[in-house]
């Protein structure tokens, strides 16, 4: 958390039952060395007292435009210019609506409208409020102007319902800010400049996008780095890695997928300004951290199906890069299966098909959504890929073959052929998975306009 030390942060607290978590968040921010100015909406004071937050921050908490007793003005312009970032946690549906519309009837809204610094929004509300088209429209509008969403979590809500709407945990919010400032510092060392609104002018070296392309790899000059915000305002679902189907508490049916391809796609989509939900199976490589990436770990094919269905209706683009198990045991043994001394060396495990997640999403897909699938083949590669493209209602299918050296599971490189709905074939040479991700995203952008 060293990257947070010395940063000036405005913490906006809105009227939400989750406002109590602002105290824990504020303590973590100050412990990390940040200077925090808390601004509360008038409704927020009904959920947590300004005295609590003032004690933790060491500063008076601001609620109104001016002090009625002294007439002293809380200068919203100076406050906005003072901040390195504005973090609103919890952000209520009401405040998100005001921000999206440019309404200005309280001090926090006035500071927000005067700000030039990056804005991080951590919503908290009930499930139906979060899912309501008006709220989602407001979120899309705020993401489209470059704000960062720290998406709410799935869990039990104050109403008793279970679903999305819980405020992200303070520890997660801190990690998002720390990762953001780390990227800022890395890019400052490389580029020496930032956009006025605080967004990075180039993606971090960590993503590989500041590396010059290898000679003769066919990468045009304008593709050597992302334009940065071509997918701003878009919500994307990415799946990555394997799924594991338990045979017993020790053994499972799985595959060798590392998740590297899906992770590269998530990173490059976020670098283009998209809000990314990354659903990944069990992996041993680091899960990418980025303010626009919300990751969710799953284990089984059924887990991944559930996570995808919960997210699918609210996204614009889906990239299914995970290697999902096709079969799962009919029954999972409660205890480790032991070798019997009398056995003849054979063990039969009845299996059943898992739900075809890609086909399920293809059936549910709206005309406004863009669906990308992957096909890893060992024979009749193009024939199988084209069949999958049509059967599963895909817009693109990415084919790679285990017969190509340097492609497939576990490698840092890949060699792909992509087919679109018309059957048009585009072949790419062997490249790093980060570059391959850029190629795929370019094909998506070209087709969604």
């Amino acid at each position: 958390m060293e990257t947070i030390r010395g940063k000036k942060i405005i913490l906006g607290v809105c009227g939400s039952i989750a406002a109590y978590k602002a105290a824990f968040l504020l303590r973590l921010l100050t412990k990390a060395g940040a200077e925090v100015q808390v601004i509360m909406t008038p409704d927020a004071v009904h959920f947590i007292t300004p005295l609590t937050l003032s004690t933790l921050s060491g500063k008076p908490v601001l609620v109104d435009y001016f002090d009625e007793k002294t007439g002293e003005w809380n200068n919203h312009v100076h406050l906005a210019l003072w901040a390195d970032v504005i973090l609103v946690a919890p952000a209520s549906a009401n405040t998100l609506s005001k921000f999206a519309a440019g309404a200005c009837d309280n001090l926090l809204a006035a500071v927000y409208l005067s700000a030039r610094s990056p804005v991080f929004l951590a919503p908290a509300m009930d499930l139906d409020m979060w899912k309501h088209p008006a709220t989602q429209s407001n979120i899309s509008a705020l993401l489209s102007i470059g704000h960062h969403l720290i998406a709410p979590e799935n869990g039990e809500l104050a109403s008793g319902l279970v679903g999305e709407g819980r405020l992200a945990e303070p520890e997660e919010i801190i990690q998002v800010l720390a990762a953001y400032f780390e990227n800022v510092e890395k890019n400052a060392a490389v580029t020496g400049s930032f956009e006025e609104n605080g967004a990075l002018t180039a993606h971090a070296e960590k993503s590989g996008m500041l590396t010059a392309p290898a000679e003769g790899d066919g990468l045009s000059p304008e593709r050597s780095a992302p334009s940065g915000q071509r997918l701003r305002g878009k919500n994307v679902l990415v799946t990555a890695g394997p799924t594991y189907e338990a045979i017993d508490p020790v053994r499972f049916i799985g595959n060798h997928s590392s998740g590297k391809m899906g992770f590269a796609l998530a990173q490059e989509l976020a670098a283009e300004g998209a809000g990314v939900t990354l659903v990944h199976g069990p992996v041993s490589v680091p899960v990418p951290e980025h303010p626009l990436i919300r990751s969710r770990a799953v284990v089984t094919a059924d887990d991944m199906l559930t996570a995808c269905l919960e997210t699918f209706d609210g996204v614009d683009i889906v990239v299914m890069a995970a290697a999902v198990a096709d079969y799962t045991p009919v029954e999972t043994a409660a205890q480790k299966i032991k070798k019997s001394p009398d056995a003849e060396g054979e063990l039969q495990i009845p299996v059943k098909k898992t739900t075809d997640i890609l086909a399920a999403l293809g059936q549910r897909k709206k005309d406004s959504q863009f669906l990308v699938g992957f096909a890893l083949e060992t024979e009749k590669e193009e024939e199988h890929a084209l069949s999958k493209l049509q059967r599963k209602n895909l817009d693109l299918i990415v084919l790679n073959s285990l017969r190509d050296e340097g492609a497939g599971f576990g490698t840092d490189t890949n060699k792909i052929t992509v087919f679109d709905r018309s059957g048009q074939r585009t072949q790419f040479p062997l490249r790093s998975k980060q570059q391959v991700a850029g190629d795929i995203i370019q094909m998506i952008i070209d087709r969604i306009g």
Side-chain angles (χ1 to χ4, degrees):
M1 304 302 174
E2 190 61 31
T3 55
I4 294 178
R5 184 170 300 280
K7 298 297 187 294
K8 298 179 176 66
I9 298 173
I10 285 178
L11 174 59
V13 181
C14 303
S16 164
I17 192 66
Y20 76 92
K21 289 187 178 180
F24 299 99
L25 175 58
L26 178 55
R27 185 170 182 83
L28 290 175
L29 287 169
T30 55
K31 188 176 181 180
E35 184 180 355
V36 185
Q37 175 62 64
V38 179
I39 301 177
M40 302 178 71
T41 65
D43 284 340
V45 301
H46 300 304
F47 294 91
I48 186 171
T49 67
L51 177 60
T52 299
L53 299 179
S54 175
T55 302
L56 292 171
S57 68
K59 290 177 176 287
V61 169
L62 306 180
V63 180
D64 300 310
Y65 288 107
F66 63 93
D67 187 319
E68 291 185 355
K69 294 181 180 179
T70 65
E72 183 179 359
W73 177 37
N74 294 319
N75 191 322
H76 58 278
V77 176
H78 289 174
L79 285 165
L81 296 178
W82 169 83
D84 292 312
V85 299
I86 293 177
L87 168 63
V88 185
S92 65
N94 185 42
T95 293
L96 292 172
S97 173
K98 291 177 181 179
F99 285 2
C104 185
D105 65 352
N106 61 47
L107 179 61
L108 179 59
V111 171
Y112 163 76
L113 286 175
S114 303
R116 300 179 184 178
S117 57
V119 176
F120 288 78
L121 304 168
M125 63 197 73
D126 206 66
L127 170 65
D128 295 315
M129 296 176 70
W130 172 248
K131 293 290 188 181
H132 196 282
T135 302
Q136 291 302 307
S137 176
N138 290 332
I139 289 291
S140 295
L142 293 168
L143 288 174
S144 73
I145 57 175
H147 295 343
H148 304 284
L149 176 67
I150 305 175
E153 296 181 350
N154 194 303
E156 187 174 350
L157 305 170
S159 66
L161 296 176
V162 176
E164 285 183 276
R166 285 172 60 93
L167 179 68
E169 291 302 319
E171 292 82 3
E172 180 185 346
I173 295 173
I174 287 286
Q175 288 176 357
V176 169
L177 286 180
Y180 171 80
F181 285 124
E182 180 182 358
N183 281 341
V184 169
E185 291 178 2
K186 287 182 178 179
N187 280 271
V190 176
T191 66
S193 63
F194 306 95
E195 294 179 10
E196 186 177 15
N197 69 357
L200 304 184
T201 57
H203 195 43
E205 285 183 306
K206 177 173 68 175
S207 71
M209 295 308 297
L210 293 178
T211 303
E215 185 177 352
D217 71 355
L219 190 63
S220 61
E222 64 270 20
R223 286 282 297 114
S224 62
S227 60
Q229 298 296 312
R230 294 180 296 173
L231 292 175
R232 179 181 289 182
K234 299 291 186 183
N235 292 315
V236 185
L237 168 64
V238 177
T239 63
T243 64
Y244 289 172
E245 311 300 320
I247 297 170
D248 61 21
V250 177
R251 305 172 182 90
F252 59 85
I253 298 172
N255 57 64
H256 298 296
S257 175
S258 65
K260 290 179 180 179
M261 189 69 252
F263 288 176
L265 283 158
Q267 287 178 311
E268 298 310 312
L269 286 161
E272 290 288 0
V276 180
T277 298
L278 173 60
V279 179
H280 66 85
V283 292
S284 57
V285 298
V287 178
E289 293 185 1
H290 188 284
L292 291 178
I293 297 176
R294 177 196 178 200
S295 61
R296 180 171 175 180
V298 298
V299 177
T300 68
D302 193 53
D303 294 338
M304 186 167 284
L305 172 65
T306 299
C308 289
L309 290 177
E310 288 177 355
T311 306
F312 182 73
D313 290 340
V315 300
D316 305 291
I317 301 166
V318 181
V319 185
M320 300 292 289
V324 183
D326 295 321
Y327 293 92
T328 187
V330 173
E331 294 183 357
T332 300
Q335 304 296 331
K336 179 183 176 182
I337 300 172
K338 306 291 288 184
K339 289 187 292 186
S340 170
D342 301 327
E344 297 181 0
E346 293 185 1
L347 173 66
Q348 294 186 349
I349 302 173
V351 296
K352 60 184 178 180
K353 282 187 176 182
T354 59
T355 301
D356 189 325
I357 301 175
L358 189 56
L361 299 185
Q363 290 177 353
R364 189 166 173 168
K365 180 169 78 77
K366 300 186 289 285
D367 290 342
S368 60
Q369 293 177 303
F370 196 91
L371 180 57
V372 182
F374 276 67
L376 177 64
E377 304 292 345
T378 59
E379 62 174 350
K380 298 181 180 178
E381 289 95 338
E382 295 194 6
E383 179 183 334
H384 290 318
L386 286 168
S387 174
K388 191 174 183 179
L389 174 73
Q390 299 300 324
R391 287 185 291 106
K392 301 188 180 184
N393 193 25
L394 309 182
D395 296 287
L396 289 179
I397 190 160
V398 181
L399 167 66
N400 47 195
S401 171
L402 283 179
R403 296 195 296 178
D404 290 328
E405 187 176 352
F409 292 147
T411 66
D412 292 323
T413 56
N414 208 354
K415 182 180 180 181
I416 64 168
T417 302
V418 184
F419 297 91
D420 65 16
R421 289 186 73 90
S422 68
Q424 180 179 341
R425 177 179 183 273
T426 306
Q427 192 168 14
F428 295 89
L430 184 70
R431 296 153 64 77
S432 74
K433 285 185 174 175
Q434 210 74 41
Q435 291 173 316
V436 170
D439 292 331
I440 295 169
I441 291 164
Q442 183 64 49
M443 293 195 71
I444 295 171
I445 292 172
D446 289 343
R447 282 157 179 77
I448 65 176

